[in-house]
mmCIF file of all heavy atoms in Angstrom:
data_model
loop_
_atom_site.group_PDB
_atom_site.id
_atom_site.type_symbol
_atom_site.label_atom_id
_atom_site.label_comp_id
_atom_site.label_asym_id
_atom_site.label_seq_id
_atom_site.Cartn_x
_atom_site.Cartn_y
_atom_site.Cartn_z
ATOM 1 N N LYS A 991 -49.803 24.154 23.846
ATOM 2 C CA LYS A 991 -50.759 25.135 23.201
ATOM 3 C C LYS A 991 -50.436 26.474 23.794
ATOM 4 O O LYS A 991 -50.449 27.428 23.096
ATOM 5 C CB LYS A 991 -52.272 24.720 23.569
ATOM 6 C CG LYS A 991 -52.769 23.521 22.767
ATOM 7 C CD LYS A 991 -54.199 23.456 23.118
ATOM 8 C CE LYS A 991 -54.652 21.936 23.165
ATOM 9 N NZ LYS A 991 -55.808 21.680 23.898
ATOM 10 N N LEU A 992 -50.268 26.525 25.094
ATOM 11 C CA LEU A 992 -50.016 27.774 25.778
ATOM 12 C C LEU A 992 -48.603 28.367 25.293
ATOM 13 O O LEU A 992 -48.588 29.549 24.907
ATOM 14 C CB LEU A 992 -49.959 27.625 27.266
ATOM 15 C CG LEU A 992 -50.037 28.774 28.167
ATOM 16 C CD1 LEU A 992 -51.445 29.263 28.131
ATOM 17 C CD2 LEU A 992 -49.727 28.305 29.627
ATOM 18 N N ALA A 993 -47.693 27.564 25.128
ATOM 19 C CA ALA A 993 -46.369 27.998 24.782
ATOM 20 C C ALA A 993 -46.373 28.544 23.359
ATOM 21 O O ALA A 993 -45.702 29.560 23.036
ATOM 22 C CB ALA A 993 -45.366 26.868 24.809
ATOM 23 N N GLU A 994 -47.247 27.963 22.504
ATOM 24 C CA GLU A 994 -47.314 28.422 21.134
ATOM 25 C C GLU A 994 -47.876 29.917 21.162
ATOM 26 O O GLU A 994 -47.261 30.791 20.440
ATOM 27 C CB GLU A 994 -48.311 27.584 20.399
ATOM 28 C CG GLU A 994 -48.547 27.876 18.951
ATOM 29 C CD GLU A 994 -47.430 27.384 18.026
ATOM 30 O OE1 GLU A 994 -46.791 26.328 18.371
ATOM 31 O OE2 GLU A 994 -47.223 28.010 16.978
ATOM 32 N N LYS A 995 -48.876 30.121 21.934
ATOM 33 C CA LYS A 995 -49.450 31.525 22.117
ATOM 34 C C LYS A 995 -48.405 32.490 22.659
ATOM 35 O O LYS A 995 -48.214 33.537 22.142
ATOM 36 C CB LYS A 995 -50.653 31.484 22.992
ATOM 37 C CG LYS A 995 -51.863 30.902 22.275
ATOM 38 C CD LYS A 995 -53.125 31.131 23.120
ATOM 39 C CE LYS A 995 -54.332 30.323 22.541
ATOM 40 N NZ LYS A 995 -55.214 29.815 23.584
ATOM 41 N N VAL A 996 -47.791 32.030 23.767
ATOM 42 C CA VAL A 996 -46.806 32.866 24.375
ATOM 43 C C VAL A 996 -45.614 33.244 23.418
ATOM 44 O O VAL A 996 -45.231 34.390 23.259
ATOM 45 C CB VAL A 996 -46.147 32.221 25.615
ATOM 46 C CG1 VAL A 996 -45.001 33.037 26.213
ATOM 47 C CG2 VAL A 996 -47.258 32.039 26.701
ATOM 48 N N ARG A 997 -45.244 32.228 22.648
ATOM 49 C CA ARG A 997 -44.133 32.411 21.649
ATOM 50 C C ARG A 997 -44.492 33.444 20.620
ATOM 51 O O ARG A 997 -43.706 34.255 20.223
ATOM 52 C CB ARG A 997 -43.813 31.066 21.015
ATOM 53 C CG ARG A 997 -42.521 31.260 20.282
ATOM 54 C CD ARG A 997 -41.838 30.031 19.879
ATOM 55 N NE ARG A 997 -42.543 28.803 19.747
ATOM 56 C CZ ARG A 997 -41.926 27.773 19.321
ATOM 57 N NH1 ARG A 997 -40.700 27.780 18.997
ATOM 58 N NH2 ARG A 997 -42.624 26.653 19.175
ATOM 59 N N ASN A 998 -45.787 33.337 20.079
ATOM 60 C CA ASN A 998 -46.235 34.255 19.113
ATOM 61 C C ASN A 998 -46.241 35.756 19.626
ATOM 62 O O ASN A 998 -46.176 36.661 18.871
ATOM 63 C CB ASN A 998 -47.599 33.870 18.566
ATOM 64 C CG ASN A 998 -47.570 32.541 17.801
ATOM 65 O OD1 ASN A 998 -46.470 32.214 17.369
ATOM 66 N ND2 ASN A 998 -48.696 31.859 17.627
ATOM 67 N N GLN A 999 -46.459 35.821 20.893
ATOM 68 C CA GLN A 999 -46.552 37.165 21.466
ATOM 69 C C GLN A 999 -45.297 37.694 22.073
ATOM 70 O O GLN A 999 -45.176 38.794 22.588
ATOM 71 C CB GLN A 999 -47.648 37.241 22.459
ATOM 72 C CG GLN A 999 -49.038 37.115 21.890
ATOM 73 C CD GLN A 999 -50.139 36.840 22.926
ATOM 74 O OE1 GLN A 999 -49.893 37.019 24.098
ATOM 75 N NE2 GLN A 999 -51.276 36.461 22.435
ATOM 76 N N THR A 1000 -44.283 36.867 22.206
ATOM 77 C CA THR A 1000 -42.991 37.304 22.902
ATOM 78 C C THR A 1000 -42.033 37.719 21.827
ATOM 79 O O THR A 1000 -41.777 37.063 20.859
ATOM 80 C CB THR A 1000 -42.427 36.130 23.663
ATOM 81 O OG1 THR A 1000 -43.418 35.499 24.526
ATOM 82 C CG2 THR A 1000 -41.256 36.532 24.499
ATOM 83 N N GLN A 1001 -41.533 38.884 22.080
ATOM 84 C CA GLN A 1001 -40.533 39.424 21.254
ATOM 85 C C GLN A 1001 -39.148 38.825 21.662
ATOM 86 O O GLN A 1001 -38.693 39.064 22.738
ATOM 87 C CB GLN A 1001 -40.461 40.994 21.416
ATOM 88 C CG GLN A 1001 -39.429 41.712 20.568
ATOM 89 C CD GLN A 1001 -39.900 41.718 19.117
ATOM 90 O OE1 GLN A 1001 -41.051 41.970 18.861
ATOM 91 N NE2 GLN A 1001 -38.980 41.443 18.194
ATOM 92 N N LEU A 1002 -38.788 37.776 20.821
ATOM 93 C CA LEU A 1002 -37.563 37.111 21.240
ATOM 94 C C LEU A 1002 -36.372 38.133 21.057
ATOM 95 O O LEU A 1002 -36.342 38.850 20.042
ATOM 96 C CB LEU A 1002 -37.253 35.888 20.412
ATOM 97 C CG LEU A 1002 -38.275 34.715 20.725
ATOM 98 C CD1 LEU A 1002 -37.952 33.546 19.782
ATOM 99 C CD2 LEU A 1002 -38.091 34.255 22.116
ATOM 100 N N LYS A 1003 -35.422 38.061 21.956
ATOM 101 C CA LYS A 1003 -34.328 39.009 21.878
ATOM 102 C C LYS A 1003 -33.393 38.572 20.723
ATOM 103 O O LYS A 1003 -33.577 37.533 20.099
ATOM 104 C CB LYS A 1003 -33.551 39.024 23.187
ATOM 105 C CG LYS A 1003 -34.284 39.549 24.366
ATOM 106 C CD LYS A 1003 -33.404 39.766 25.459
ATOM 107 C CE LYS A 1003 -34.114 39.846 26.862
ATOM 108 N NZ LYS A 1003 -33.327 39.808 27.980
ATOM 109 N N ASP A 1004 -32.315 39.336 20.548
ATOM 110 C CA ASP A 1004 -31.359 39.073 19.513
ATOM 111 C C ASP A 1004 -30.599 37.711 19.850
ATOM 112 O O ASP A 1004 -30.784 37.184 20.882
ATOM 113 C CB ASP A 1004 -30.326 40.155 19.345
ATOM 114 C CG ASP A 1004 -31.038 41.483 19.135
ATOM 115 O OD1 ASP A 1004 -32.108 41.487 18.469
ATOM 116 O OD2 ASP A 1004 -30.443 42.546 19.508
ATOM 117 N N GLU A 1005 -29.701 37.461 18.885
ATOM 118 C CA GLU A 1005 -28.826 36.256 19.082
ATOM 119 C C GLU A 1005 -28.219 36.312 20.490
ATOM 120 O O GLU A 1005 -27.744 37.394 20.893
ATOM 121 C CB GLU A 1005 -27.836 36.309 17.959
ATOM 122 C CG GLU A 1005 -26.639 35.410 17.972
ATOM 123 C CD GLU A 1005 -26.758 34.291 16.995
ATOM 124 O OE1 GLU A 1005 -27.712 34.310 16.161
ATOM 125 O OE2 GLU A 1005 -25.843 33.542 16.925
ATOM 126 N N LEU A 1006 -28.004 35.113 21.101
ATOM 127 C CA LEU A 1006 -27.362 35.099 22.391
ATOM 128 C C LEU A 1006 -25.898 35.549 22.298
ATOM 129 O O LEU A 1006 -25.242 35.338 21.226
ATOM 130 C CB LEU A 1006 -27.387 33.677 22.894
ATOM 131 C CG LEU A 1006 -28.666 33.065 23.524
ATOM 132 C CD1 LEU A 1006 -28.506 31.585 23.748
ATOM 133 C CD2 LEU A 1006 -29.072 33.878 24.775
ATOM 134 N N PRO A 1007 -25.325 36.251 23.314
ATOM 135 C CA PRO A 1007 -23.901 36.619 23.208
ATOM 136 C C PRO A 1007 -23.027 35.338 23.273
ATOM 137 O O PRO A 1007 -23.517 34.274 23.726
ATOM 138 C CB PRO A 1007 -23.740 37.413 24.395
ATOM 139 C CG PRO A 1007 -24.837 37.134 25.341
ATOM 140 C CD PRO A 1007 -25.968 36.609 24.509
ATOM 141 N N THR A 1008 -21.724 35.453 22.896
ATOM 142 C CA THR A 1008 -20.894 34.307 23.019
ATOM 143 C C THR A 1008 -19.810 34.538 24.139
ATOM 144 O O THR A 1008 -19.462 35.707 24.465
ATOM 145 C CB THR A 1008 -20.113 34.031 21.636
ATOM 146 O OG1 THR A 1008 -19.579 35.285 21.213
ATOM 147 C CG2 THR A 1008 -20.978 33.438 20.667
ATOM 148 N N CYS A 1009 -19.452 33.420 24.797
ATOM 149 C CA CYS A 1009 -18.504 33.459 25.868
ATOM 150 C C CYS A 1009 -17.117 33.924 25.418
ATOM 151 O O CYS A 1009 -16.644 33.521 24.385
ATOM 152 C CB CYS A 1009 -18.404 32.133 26.451
ATOM 153 S SG CYS A 1009 -17.051 31.821 27.633
ATOM 154 N N LYS A 1010 -16.492 34.856 26.141
ATOM 155 C CA LYS A 1010 -15.197 35.449 25.764
ATOM 156 C C LYS A 1010 -14.112 34.418 25.745
ATOM 157 O O LYS A 1010 -13.070 34.583 25.265
ATOM 158 C CB LYS A 1010 -14.879 36.541 26.746
ATOM 159 C CG LYS A 1010 -15.423 37.815 26.397
ATOM 160 C CD LYS A 1010 -14.832 38.893 27.364
ATOM 161 C CE LYS A 1010 -15.090 40.306 26.903
ATOM 162 N NZ LYS A 1010 -14.592 41.292 27.871
ATOM 163 N N ILE A 1011 -14.365 33.387 26.528
ATOM 164 C CA ILE A 1011 -13.261 32.289 26.687
ATOM 165 C C ILE A 1011 -13.470 31.205 25.657
ATOM 166 O O ILE A 1011 -12.583 30.968 24.838
ATOM 167 C CB ILE A 1011 -13.283 31.729 28.131
ATOM 168 C CG1 ILE A 1011 -12.979 32.891 29.112
ATOM 169 C CG2 ILE A 1011 -12.196 30.638 28.192
ATOM 170 C CD1 ILE A 1011 -12.824 32.441 30.549
ATOM 171 N N CYS A 1012 -14.585 30.555 25.684
ATOM 172 C CA CYS A 1012 -14.791 29.382 24.821
ATOM 173 C C CYS A 1012 -15.437 29.661 23.505
ATOM 174 O O CYS A 1012 -15.465 28.842 22.556
ATOM 175 C CB CYS A 1012 -15.532 28.231 25.538
ATOM 176 S SG CYS A 1012 -17.224 28.621 25.898
ATOM 177 N N GLY A 1013 -16.074 30.843 23.387
ATOM 178 C CA GLY A 1013 -16.723 31.202 22.115
ATOM 179 C C GLY A 1013 -18.118 30.591 21.893
ATOM 180 O O GLY A 1013 -18.716 30.754 20.896
ATOM 181 N N GLU A 1014 -18.584 29.866 22.878
ATOM 182 C CA GLU A 1014 -19.936 29.232 22.829
ATOM 183 C C GLU A 1014 -21.030 30.200 23.319
ATOM 184 O O GLU A 1014 -20.747 31.126 24.108
ATOM 185 C CB GLU A 1014 -19.959 27.929 23.574
ATOM 186 C CG GLU A 1014 -19.091 26.795 23.007
ATOM 187 C CD GLU A 1014 -19.498 26.516 21.597
ATOM 188 O OE1 GLU A 1014 -20.547 26.348 21.239
ATOM 189 O OE2 GLU A 1014 -18.475 26.444 20.728
ATOM 190 N N PRO A 1015 -22.214 29.960 22.936
ATOM 191 C CA PRO A 1015 -23.361 30.853 23.366
ATOM 192 C C PRO A 1015 -23.426 30.861 24.932
ATOM 193 O O PRO A 1015 -23.264 29.896 25.534
ATOM 194 C CB PRO A 1015 -24.600 30.325 22.735
ATOM 195 C CG PRO A 1015 -24.166 29.395 21.613
ATOM 196 C CD PRO A 1015 -22.759 28.902 22.030
ATOM 197 N N THR A 1016 -23.787 32.060 25.368
ATOM 198 C CA THR A 1016 -24.064 32.137 26.861
ATOM 199 C C THR A 1016 -25.289 33.021 27.063
ATOM 200 O O THR A 1016 -25.886 33.538 26.050
ATOM 201 C CB THR A 1016 -22.824 32.790 27.599
ATOM 202 O OG1 THR A 1016 -23.105 32.760 28.972
ATOM 203 C CG2 THR A 1016 -22.490 34.179 27.126
ATOM 204 N N SER A 1017 -25.795 33.122 28.297
ATOM 205 C CA SER A 1017 -27.060 33.863 28.625
ATOM 206 C C SER A 1017 -26.868 35.331 28.232
ATOM 207 O O SER A 1017 -25.793 35.860 28.302
ATOM 208 C CB SER A 1017 -27.484 33.720 30.032
ATOM 209 O OG SER A 1017 -27.351 32.349 30.419
#
Side-chain angles (χ1 to χ4, degrees):
K991 284 187 218 155
L992 197 70
E994 181 79 29
K995 283 190 190 146
V996 173
R997 190 164 25 176
N998 291 340
Q999 287 169 14
T1000 309
Q1001 182 71 43
L1002 289 177
K1003 292 192 201 169
D1004 302 332
E1005 169 109 359
L1006 285 172
T1008 47
C1009 168
K1010 274 188 167 176
I1011 298 182
C1012 67
E1014 292 303 314
T1016 183
S1017 317

